[in-house]
Structures are given as structure tokens and as C-alpha cells.
Amino acid sequence: MGLRISSFGVRGYVGEALTPKVIMDFASAFGTFAEGGRILLGRDTRYSSPMIHAAVVSSLLSTGCEILDFGICPTPILQYSVLPRKAAGAVSISGGHNGMGWNALTLIGADGAFLEPMGGENVLDSFHAGDFLKQDWQHMGSIREVTDFVEPYFEALEGHLNVQAIRKANFIVLIDPVGGAGCDYLEPFARRLGFRLVPINAQPSGYLAREAEPRPRSALQMASIIRQLKGDIGFVLSSDMGRLSMVTEIGEPASEEHSFAVIANHVLGKKGGTLVTNCCTTRTIDDIAALKKGRVVKTPVGQAYVVSALMDEQGVLGGEGSGSVALPEFSRAFDGFLMMGLILEAMAESGNRVSDLLKALPRYHIVKRKILCGSRKAYHALEYVMSHLQELSGGGIVDRTDGLRIDWKDGWIHIRPSRTEQIVRVISEATKRAKAEQRADDLVRMIEQEM
């Protein structure tokens, strides 16, 4: 399994592609870029994270960096902490939504966002050239463990939520952090917002008790028990606390596409403005913006692109159909704690159940397919589809913002090679499920026959 390298990090299967040498070289390149400045460091609970942590620490120290070690820490909390700690950046060690064998280094800039492309290109140039800042014995960096970052984060988060309304609602909330970095932060979060917490898979562990990517099939365990526990809502999260899907009070697992949609409907109802999302998120977002007299800006897929456009466009909210949301007035991170707070706020202020919030959305049928393949085959597949564009488009509108998207009146289809996995993603959405499935299946068959 190959490495997935981008301007904001490196991801791979540990021991095969993501080796100690790769980790040390990448961390050394980032330390060189940071010119030996202050770097925040956090990790998740995966079995490989302590090894990667040791390699990153050694490399950053060798470039003269001052390391503030947050230990096991969700990526959005690490991102939020960059600005108040006046850091040159941060490194998050987390496989996020990937399976147990995977892990990653995510590079965060001095603004708390994923490292922007220009800075990332400098890191990549240093990484590929093996040209690193090397301090002598008198000028090695330093490391200090810090534990006083939790309360400042939750205090700031409270300032962006109607905590009084949430407390008054006295919700029963099920949360499944899949044994990841968020486990030890659920209790303080629940205390501050005043809901009764029912934790599931909430013991820190390198073993992932379910698929790490939040979506309906990851939520089946929670869906089977929420009614018996009289829960008001369930939240299913990725191991880094950056993605989220929901389970309703009647045990219906909602698509991860609806997480951003519910929050967007709530936020735009209070304050108009611009929504920023990627080019393969549900058309529900476009409909919400039209109803609320807002506008939508589309970007390539990925937190780095969405947040960058969010700041450039002075948007009110950004997110993706993978179950991610960023509120720029709070931080520049896709943040599961923020998302849970905003959804609970929407329920508390409206007096509606989560099932009611979902019913209020314009709804489409979305189908997501994966085709396993390496990077070269993935891009060959995209080129092959492009070569048959005329027969595929059938009068639809073609968009090449990221991969290929074709829009028709009744729906759309999108194909692109993943930046985080060895797959090609095919996503199809339509007003009728049969049409969405047909388009997706036809495109998958076409690609598989060529490969």
C-alpha cells in the first residue's frame, strides 16, 4: 500500500509505506519549515501512534523545535490551541477515518488550519531533497508535556453555543468515539453542556470496535439500543473527532451527508451568508442556501481547501458531506465537539427532535461507491472516463474542479481518486434512488472493465 502525500501531511499503512524513516524525514522537513519554532504535538490511541510519536519528537528536537506535547488529543482541539499558544504550527498523529493499520501525520499551520499549499510545497521540497535543518548538541530543541489545554478549549466553545438552552433541554446523548482520541474528553464536554452522556466504545484503545468512518453502517450498534435507552440523539465520530454522523431518537442512522446540512440549516436561519463546501457534497446544501438567501462556494475535496476558501470568502460555515463542519468565528478546524454542540443547540432552540430536523431538509438519494486501486490506476481510470465524456454527460453540465462531476436536472455524479486512501470514489445523487444507483453502478462497471 503506497503513501498518500499532500501539502498538509502524509498518510499510509504502517510498516509497509509509513515507516519510521518516512515519518522522521517528514517531521524533520516540517521542523525545518517552522525554523525551530514552537510546535504543538498530539496523537490518537492507535497501536502505532506511540512509535510515530517517538519518531516525530526526535526529528523535531533535532531541528531545534520547542515541543508542547498534548499527549492523546483530538485533532480539532490541537488545531484550536495553535493560536492561543502562539505556536508556529502543530503535528497531529491520527489515522482519522481510516482503518486500524493506517496512520498519518497531519501538518497544521500557525493559523490553526491545515498547512496551506505554499507552505506545504516547501515542506515537500525539503522532504524529497532530504535537506533538513540540523542543530548541534548545544542547540537541540526542548519538549514539555502540557495538560492545561482542555478547559480553555471548552470555555471558548461555550461562547459560541446557547448553553442555557441545551442545559434546559436535559438531553440524553449517546456518543461513540470509536475508542479514539476523543474518549477522555466526553465527560467534560457533557458536564459543560448539561446533558446525560451515554458513552459507547469510549475506552481509549488501539482496537477499532467498528469502521472508523462515520456513516449509517458504522452506527448500527448505536441504532439498535438508542430507543431502549430513551436517547434523544446519537453521535458517531471518527477517531480524530473530525467527522460525525447521527442516529435519531427512533433508531434511524442518518447519512453523514446530513450532518453538515442540519447545521447549515440552523446557522443560516440565524445569520445569512456564504456556505463553503466541496464539489461532491449533497445538493441539499445548495437548496438550503437558496431558501435562506445565502450563496454556496464549491472547492476540491479536503479540509484544507474548504477552510482556505471559507476564510477567503468570509463565509459563515464550511463543511463536507463526509460529516465535517468548521465555524470560522470559532476555529479553522473540522470539529466534532462543535458539531455536536450546534446540533444540540438546533434541537434545544427549536424544540424539535433530531428526526424532525432531518425531515425539514430537502432530501435526495445519495449513493457512494469505492473502487480499490493504486494511485497510477486511479488517475488512469479518471482519464479513461474523461475520454468517454461526451457519451456520459448526455447534455449535463461538466465540472472539473476536482476529478469529474456531471450535473443533470435530477441529480449528479462525481468521480475522483481519493487523497487519503488507495481508492477511486464514485458518488451519485438523484431525486430517485434507483437513478442514483444506476448511474453509480454503470460508472463503476465501466471503470472496472478498463482496469
Side-chain angles (χ1 to χ4, degrees):
M1 296 186 182
L3 282 176
R4 312 297 289 176
I5 297 176
S6 70
S7 62
F8 52 83
V10 60
R11 182 179 302 265
Y13 200 82
V14 177
E16 293 183 16
L18 194 63
T19 63
K21 184 180 187 312
V22 169
I23 294 159
M24 294 181 76
D25 285 354
F26 215 86
S28 295
F30 186 57
T32 301
F33 168 76
E35 298 180 336
R38 175 178 290 176
I39 300 295
L40 311 186
L41 178 60
R43 65 180 178 90
D44 71 5
T45 57
R46 294 176 188 240
Y47 293 129
S48 59
S49 291
M51 177 275 288
I52 296 174
H53 178 269
V56 171
V57 166
S58 296
S59 302
L60 292 178
L61 290 177
S62 74
T63 61
C65 287
E66 176 196 3
I67 303 170
L68 299 187
D69 189 358
F70 281 37
I72 294 175
C73 178
T75 303
I77 294 183
L78 193 70
Q79 289 182 251
Y80 169 82
S81 302
V82 169
L83 284 172
R85 296 280 176 169
K86 298 179 180 177
V91 178
S92 178
I93 301 166
S94 176
H97 65 282
N98 292 119
M100 281 190 288
W102 288 77
N103 217 324
L105 302 186
T106 300
L107 308 182
I108 298 158
D111 59 354
F114 280 11
L115 195 62
E116 48 84 27
M118 186 174 294
E121 290 301 322
N122 291 335
V123 172
L124 290 178
D125 287 346
S126 179
F127 169 73
H128 290 302
D131 183 16
F132 312 131
L133 179 63
K134 299 180 180 70
Q135 297 291 4
D136 63 25
W137 65 275
Q138 301 177 84
H139 300 94
M140 289 287 119
S142 62
I143 182 167
R144 175 165 57 94
E145 293 184 6
V146 293
T147 58
D148 59 345
F149 57 87
V150 182
E151 291 303 310
Y153 167 80
F154 282 126
E155 284 176 11
L157 180 59
E158 275 194 52
H160 295 274
L161 298 171
N162 185 347
V163 176
Q164 185 177 358
I166 297 171
R167 284 182 172 275
K168 188 176 179 182
N170 197 28
F171 291 125
I172 297 173
V173 181
L174 284 68
I175 304 180
D176 178 356
V178 70
C183 293
D184 291 338
Y185 300 84
L186 300 185
E187 287 287 354
F189 178 62
R191 283 196 303 271
R192 282 187 169 272
L193 297 194
F195 61 81
R196 178 185 161 195
L197 171 67
V198 180
I200 298 172
N201 297 323
Q203 290 297 317
S205 172
Y207 174 76
L208 302 180
R210 58 162 172 83
E211 184 181 357
E213 190 170 0
R215 50 183 174 172
R217 77 181 190 195
S218 309
L220 295 178
Q221 179 187 12
M222 184 181 288
S224 69
I225 61 175
I226 191 168
R227 294 184 76 169
Q228 287 84 351
L229 295 172
K230 299 181 180 178
D232 294 290
I233 189 170
F235 295 115
V236 178
L237 292 120
S238 55
S239 67
D240 61 350
M241 300 296 288
R243 296 186 179 192
L244 173 154
S245 67
M246 297 174 289
V247 176
T248 72
E249 76 286 349
I250 59 174
E252 177 195 359
S255 168
E256 65 276 18
E257 292 283 340
H258 295 143
S259 302
F260 179 32
V262 165
I263 294 171
N265 201 33
H266 172 60
V267 171
L268 277 193
K270 293 182 162 191
K271 177 174 65 174
T274 298
L275 297 176
V276 178
T277 191
N278 66 35
C279 55
C280 58
T281 291
T282 176
R283 195 180 274 179
T284 299
I285 298 299
D286 302 78
D287 292 348
I288 289 168
L291 288 168
K292 308 286 185 182
K293 295 183 170 50
R295 67 188 271 261
V296 178
V297 172
K298 301 285 181 76
T299 74
V301 174
Q303 181 177 158
Y305 298 104
V306 171
V307 172
S308 177
L310 189 57
M311 306 316 296
D312 291 343
E313 299 287 339
Q314 297 182 320
V316 297
L317 195 71
E320 295 190 307
S322 57
S324 309
V325 167
L327 185 70
E329 64 188 43
F330 172 57
S331 80
R332 299 183 180 186
F334 285 170
D335 189 329
F337 291 107
L338 167 74
M339 294 175 69
M340 289 189 284
L342 288 171
I343 293 167
L344 292 175
E345 179 185 85
M347 293 166 62
E349 290 185 345
S350 67
N352 289 323
R353 301 170 301 174
V354 65
S355 57
D356 298 323
L357 298 182
L358 288 166
K359 286 175 185 174
L361 298 175
R363 299 286 285 271
Y364 297 89
H365 298 280
I366 195 162
V367 174
K368 300 184 180 184
R369 302 279 192 259
K370 296 179 182 180
I371 306 170
L372 296 174
C373 62
S375 299
R376 290 184 180 179
K377 284 189 175 180
Y379 286 98
H380 173 73
L382 181 59
E383 289 173 0
Y384 177 73
V385 171
M386 292 279 200
S387 70
H388 291 73
L389 187 57
Q390 188 170 356
E391 62 188 84
L392 281 171
S393 63
I397 299 170
V398 175
D399 185 333
R400 294 187 177 92
T401 299
D402 186 3
L404 174 68
R405 172 170 166 149
I406 306 172
D407 272 86
W408 300 276
K409 188 175 181 179
D410 66 340
W412 53 270
I413 194 163
H414 184 257
I415 173 177
R416 72 174 184 89
S418 171
R419 294 185 182 87
T420 60
E421 299 176 71
Q422 298 285 313
I423 59 173
V424 171
R425 293 189 185 273
V426 174
I427 302 177
S428 174
E429 186 176 60
T431 52
K432 295 182 179 179
R433 173 163 290 279
K435 176 59 73 173
E437 290 180 343
Q438 178 199 329
R439 285 173 175 158
D441 292 342
D442 287 349
L443 188 54
V444 168
R445 276 194 296 271
M446 176 182 175
I447 294 167
E448 288 180 338
Q449 286 172 3
E450 170 63 15
M451 292 170 60

